[in-house]
Amino acid sequence: MVFERTTPPRSVEVTAVFPELAALARPAIRLHPRPGSPSVGDSSVGGPLLWPAGEPWPHCEDTHLHGDSGFRQSPAEIRLDRHDRARRHDDPYGPSFTPEEVAALEQKAARLAERLDAGPPWPADRPVPLLPVAQLYLRDVPLLRPPGEADLLQVLWCPYDHEPDWKPATAVFWRTAASVVDVLATPPEPYEANYPGYVPEPCLLAPEAITEYPDSLDLSRELRQVVGDWSRWQAAGADLDSSYEEYPAEFYDSELADAPGWKVGGWPPWGRTDPYRRYCAVCEARMVPLLTIASFEWDGGTRGWAPQEDRAAAHAAGHRAGLSPAQPTRVEVGSADNMQLYVCPASPEHPHTDLIQ
């Protein structure tokens, strides 16, 4: 890890105000992805994977709806555009590549453009190579619960919208890093992406362990009433702005419950929808969050979660060239700006589920 990110202490100690919530605390690890140049040996978002040379690269076999939407860019072109915008606007939060990396991206983009101009096979007619989304080593993220001797989680997705939820289709792989001797040097890439936000920017991680509490929508009716009781906050001496007097649960949800951004474990974020319970298709156990994929590390309502090292950027007005420090991965998923992958607590080998809100 070459950098650190530190979550500021919460302005209110949750269990001091609501001892009833102590039993619902869950550990989580905020990943804090930031643009960089990860290698196959690094935990990363959007970086290269430690993928065995002798193992077929995963492809999406679904039928892909495709029309001339006006967006016809390859992943290499998308990354080059981001780099150019950051360079033109001298934006320290944008992606930065070495001259060699830029040259490699330009060559790749040119090759794919030639194939597109020559009349590429439409994605509806043949499988689409998946894009790397995240690679997490157990040494960096000890909260992972891999099966057997595995110590590496790899997540990929298809950069096209899929019915019925109009989201990328994901694939999850567990493997033992030491068993990979020869690494696949040049994984295939899709001709294009359905949307630029489906192409993650390569990021290094600064994992940080925190404790989370459930969103008020995940609480029982009784506990929801307790969290929304203004007199409880006053009796505990919580220094809460009087503007929250009518809706103190909103302060709890945005500042105290679950952290925004990319994370492993913890509690899922809710807001635009009620909690959606997921159950294992094999053993019917209730699934638990494995990985939260997020569009933003913080927003206007959750700036209090911005790491101490990013406080100035979090409160800066505006962002040049659309390159926001709160969106280091350039990922955009769903109207609620997050997507959860769930795992079976009985066995990580059972099929995973995903959910976009």
Side-chain angles (χ1 to χ4, degrees):
M1 185 175 68
V2 296
F3 64 97
E4 291 185 357
R5 288 296 184 274
T6 310
T7 300
R10 300 297 82 205
S11 58
V12 175
E13 176 55 49
V14 174
T15 55
V17 182
F18 307 108
E20 303 96 322
L21 298 185
L24 299 177
R26 282 184 183 176
I29 294 182
R30 300 187 73 185
L31 299 179
H32 299 305
R34 297 296 183 270
S37 299
S39 71
V40 296
D42 293 316
S43 292
S44 66
V45 164
L49 303 184
L50 186 75
W51 196 270
E55 183 176 326
W57 188 262
H59 288 62
C60 181
E61 305 286 344
D62 289 353
T63 298
H64 299 85
L65 299 177
H66 182 86
D68 191 2
S69 63
F71 182 78
R72 297 279 304 276
Q73 281 189 306
S74 68
E77 289 175 302
I78 292 169
R79 292 189 175 113
L80 277 174
D81 282 352
R82 292 170 181 165
H83 169 74
D84 288 342
R85 288 202 305 273
R87 180 176 51 81
R88 289 197 305 269
H89 293 265
D90 192 26
D91 195 321
Y93 303 108
S96 177
F97 302 123
T98 65
E100 293 76 16
E101 290 171 328
V102 171
L105 282 172
E106 289 175 340
Q107 291 176 4
K108 183 183 292 186
R111 288 196 302 270
L112 289 171
E114 289 176 2
R115 295 170 72 179
L116 281 169
D117 292 340
W122 296 121
D125 297 330
R126 67 188 309 173
V128 174
L130 301 189
L131 275 175
V133 175
Q135 173 167 273
L136 304 177
Y137 283 88
L138 183 62
R139 65 170 188 263
D140 300 321
V141 189
L143 200 57
L144 294 172
R145 295 178 58 252
E149 298 299 316
D151 59 359
L152 179 61
L153 170 67
Q154 295 171 325
V155 180
L156 304 91
W157 67 21
C158 175
Y160 286 88
D161 287 322
H162 288 254
E163 294 182 312
D165 300 316
W166 301 105
K167 61 182 177 63
T170 58
V172 173
F173 297 86
W174 297 99
R175 68 173 75 253
T176 304
S179 68
V180 182
V181 179
D182 297 317
V183 179
L184 181 64
T186 311
E189 279 195 342
Y191 285 108
E192 58 186 357
N194 198 171
Y195 182 63
Y198 293 165
V199 180
E201 193 63 31
C203 290
L204 291 165
L205 309 181
E208 177 197 20
I210 63 169
T211 298
E212 291 192 335
Y213 297 90
D215 185 282
S216 62
L217 292 175
D218 257 320
L219 298 175
S220 66
R221 179 181 299 177
E222 294 75 19
L223 285 179
R224 204 175 305 155
Q225 290 175 343
V226 167
V227 169
D229 184 353
W230 180 246
S231 65
R232 283 288 299 268
W233 294 86
Q234 289 181 305
D239 185 18
L240 207 61
D241 190 296
S242 60
S243 62
Y244 288 103
E245 182 173 354
E246 285 192 57
Y247 306 102
E250 290 186 3
F251 176 83
Y252 168 80
D253 285 337
S254 64
E255 295 291 336
L256 306 180
D258 52 278
W262 290 67
K263 65 184 179 183
V264 168
W267 285 91
W270 301 104
R272 290 179 172 87
T273 61
D274 288 337
Y276 193 95
R277 317 297 185 198
R278 304 304 295 253
Y279 295 91
C280 179
V282 176
C283 67
E284 299 185 350
R286 183 174 170 182
M287 308 287 271
V288 296
L290 171 63
L291 173 67
T292 296
I293 297 169
S295 299
F296 298 95
E297 292 293 280
W298 64 82
D299 59 20
T302 58
R303 282 198 183 96
W305 288 97
Q308 292 176 345
E309 296 82 357
D310 295 322
R311 302 295 282 178
H315 290 85
H319 304 296
R320 291 161 290 180
L323 298 171
S324 168
Q327 195 187 19
T329 64
R330 310 299 174 229
V331 166
E332 292 187 37
V333 285
S335 60
D337 295 325
N338 57 73
M339 177 177 180
Q340 281 82 50
L341 300 184
Y342 286 80
V343 67
C344 175
S347 174
E349 293 182 300
H350 288 171
H352 84 286
T353 63
D354 55 27
L355 169 68
I356 194 166
Q357 301 176 61

